[in-house]
């Protein structure tokens, strides 16, 4: 992080090539930001309390291996606390049993929502690669296809967080698809020895992609 003096005050900024280093620091506290970030995405669109809880349940379970957020505790205790806080600082209002950002709160919720953008973009790129990959594609080949797809999406302006794609998140995304029977994996000791084929629930994949895309579009 660098500082430049200006008559209007200090300008704090970072070099673009340091984005990944900053992302590492952010990831240290990412699990604390997960619930308010996913909540902010829905609040920006307008949401009922029941819809918000359902949505949060989905995302916290979906990204559990990334965030390790204790879903039961969050749903039972934290959600109401966050909403109460948002209301007390004047960022949230309720109209006709739906939650909306106030004019003051819109920028605040956009900031919170951005904290999970990179994670969603990374999974979206991985799922896109899986959707078009032939049966029996090796993990190494999928990794290459995902990284190339992520780079093309950057050029098209479809993703904004170039630091978001990592091998760890890529493998976590594949593990999620295996657990949900979207993919079937042949075991091997090395990535080039592991291959993936379509599982019995492969048809769920387009719906996952659509939900990720909708979440990105919420901003």
């Amino acid at each position: 992080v660098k500082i430049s003096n200006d008559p209007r005050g200090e300008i704090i900024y970072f070099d673009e090539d340091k984005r990944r280093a900053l992302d590492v620091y952010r990831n240290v506290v990412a699990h604390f930001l997960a619930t308010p970030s996913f909540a902010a995405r829905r609040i920006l669109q307008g949401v009922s309390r029941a819809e918000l809880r359902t949505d949060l349940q989905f995302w916290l379970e979906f990204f559990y291996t990334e965030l390790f957020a204790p879903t039961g505790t969050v749903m039972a205790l934290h959600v109401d606390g966050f909403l109460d806080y948002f209301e007390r600082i004047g960022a949230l209002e309720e109209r006709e049993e739906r939650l909306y950002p106030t004019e003051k709160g819109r920028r605040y919720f956009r900031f919170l929502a951005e904290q999970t953008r990179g994670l969603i973009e990374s999974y979206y790129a991985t799922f896109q690669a899986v959707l078009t990959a032939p049966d029996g594609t090796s993990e190494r080949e999928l990794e290459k296809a995902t990284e190339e797809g992520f780079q093309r999406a950057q050029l098209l302006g479809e993703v904004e967080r170039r630091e978001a794609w990592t091998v760890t998140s890529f493998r976590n995304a594949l593990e999620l698809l295996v657990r949900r029977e979207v993919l079937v994996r042949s075991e091997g000791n090395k990535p080039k020895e592991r291959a993936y084929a379509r599982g019995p629930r492969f048809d769920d994949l387009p719906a996952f992609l659509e939900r990720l895309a909708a979440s990105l579009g919420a901003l």
Side-chain angles (χ1 to χ4, degrees):
V1 173
K2 297 183 178 180
I3 296 176
S4 178
N5 290 319
D6 184 85
R8 294 164 294 181
E10 290 182 333
I11 301 172
I12 302 173
Y13 67 100
F14 64 92
D15 291 331
E16 279 295 310
D17 62 355
K18 302 297 184 184
R19 293 183 70 97
R20 193 171 295 276
L22 284 172
D23 202 46
V24 170
Y25 284 104
R26 195 280 312 279
N27 285 341
V28 172
V29 295
H31 54 292
F32 291 114
L33 300 171
T35 300
S37 181
F38 289 124
R41 290 177 172 277
R42 287 308 309 273
I43 290 169
L44 283 166
Q45 298 172 298
V47 65
S48 71
R49 291 176 182 266
E51 289 169 343
L52 180 62
R53 286 182 174 277
T54 299
D55 201 59
L56 286 173
Q57 184 87 25
F58 173 83
W59 289 119
L60 293 176
E61 290 178 355
F62 197 77
F63 288 121
Y64 181 77
T65 56
E66 295 279 354
L67 303 165
F68 297 101
T71 307
T73 302
V74 169
M75 300 309 294
L77 302 174
H78 296 177
V79 175
D80 288 339
F82 281 125
L83 294 179
D84 178 65
Y85 174 74
F86 295 154
E87 288 180 311
R88 282 190 287 108
I89 65 172
L92 180 71
E93 61 183 357
E94 188 167 2
R95 304 193 305 268
E96 297 179 357
E97 299 185 348
R98 295 186 72 80
L99 305 172
Y100 296 94
T102 62
E103 191 61 34
K104 169 188 172 182
R106 187 167 294 277
R107 183 177 178 183
Y108 174 72
F109 284 123
R110 286 184 181 276
F111 167 76
L112 285 177
E114 286 292 337
Q115 304 312 310
T116 47
R117 173 180 281 279
L119 183 60
I120 295 172
E121 289 182 346
S122 177
Y123 272 57
Y124 183 80
T126 302
F127 289 4
Q128 282 278 32
V130 169
L131 187 64
T132 57
D135 270 1
T137 302
S138 73
E139 186 171 311
R140 183 66 55 80
E141 290 170 328
L142 274 175
E143 181 183 328
K144 182 180 179 181
T146 300
E147 186 170 14
E148 290 175 349
F150 195 83
Q151 291 169 352
R152 289 194 299 272
Q154 279 183 262
L155 295 174
L156 294 170
E158 295 173 346
V159 300
E160 300 176 8
R161 300 290 176 261
R162 63 183 178 84
E163 73 279 5
W165 190 89
T166 66
V167 174
T168 299
S169 286
F170 162 75
R171 290 178 179 165
N172 284 344
L174 289 183
E175 185 63 35
L176 170 67
L177 294 180
V178 170
R179 288 200 312 273
R180 298 204 172 211
E181 298 183 324
V182 172
L183 292 177
V184 176
R185 177 175 54 209
S186 62
E187 297 298 334
N189 294 323
K190 299 178 180 178
K192 65 181 180 181
E193 296 173 352
R194 295 190 288 267
Y196 294 82
R198 297 184 175 189
R201 301 190 64 180
F202 187 82
D203 288 344
D204 290 348
L205 184 56
F208 290 155
L209 270 168
E210 184 178 344
R211 193 155 189 172
L212 290 167
S215 187
L216 289 173
L219 301 186

